[in-house]
Amino acid sequence: MSAHCQLTGSKPGFGNNISHSHRRTSRRFDPNVQRKRYWLPGEGRSMRLTLSARAIKTVDSIGIEAAVARIRARGGKV
C-alpha cells in the first residue's frame, strides 16, 4: 500500500536517524494511512479510500459527499 492520502495528499517525509554517537542514517516518516470503506448514497455504491487518520476525522466532519468532491477536484480517481 502506498503511504499517500487521497484526501489531504500527505506523503512520507524524509529525515535522519541520529544514533548516540551522532551517526546519521536516512529514515522515512510515513503518515498514518488506513484503508476505509464508505457508502456513497448519491451514487448508490460503496467505495474504499486510502485516508490518513486526520482525513478520516475530516470526512466525519464534512461528510463523504463533500470529501469525494474534494478528491475529484484535486484530480484523484474515485
Side-chain angles (χ1 to χ4, degrees):
M1 173 190 342
S2 172
H4 180 270
C5 177
Q6 288 180 294
L7 182 61
T8 62
S10 62
K11 298 180 210 172
F14 296 91
N16 290 309
N17 280 324
I18 301 178
S19 70
H20 180 70
S21 63
H22 218 67
R23 289 182 61 115
R24 295 162 189 250
T25 56
S26 60
R27 63 159 293 178
R28 204 171 120 138
F29 295 91
D30 286 329
N32 183 11
V33 292
Q34 314 289 326
R35 298 260 301 160
K36 188 131 168 73
R37 189 172 160 177
Y38 289 100
W39 174 252
L40 205 59
E43 297 181 15
R45 68 183 181 107
S46 65
M47 64 175 47
R48 199 176 289 270
L49 297 174
T50 305
L51 300 172
S52 62
R54 181 175 153 211
I56 291 172
K57 293 174 189 173
T58 303
V59 170
D60 291 343
S61 172
I62 66 172
I64 186 63
E65 299 282 349
V68 168
R70 282 190 193 180
I71 292 170
R72 289 181 174 147
R74 288 184 71 239
K77 185 182 174 210
V78 179

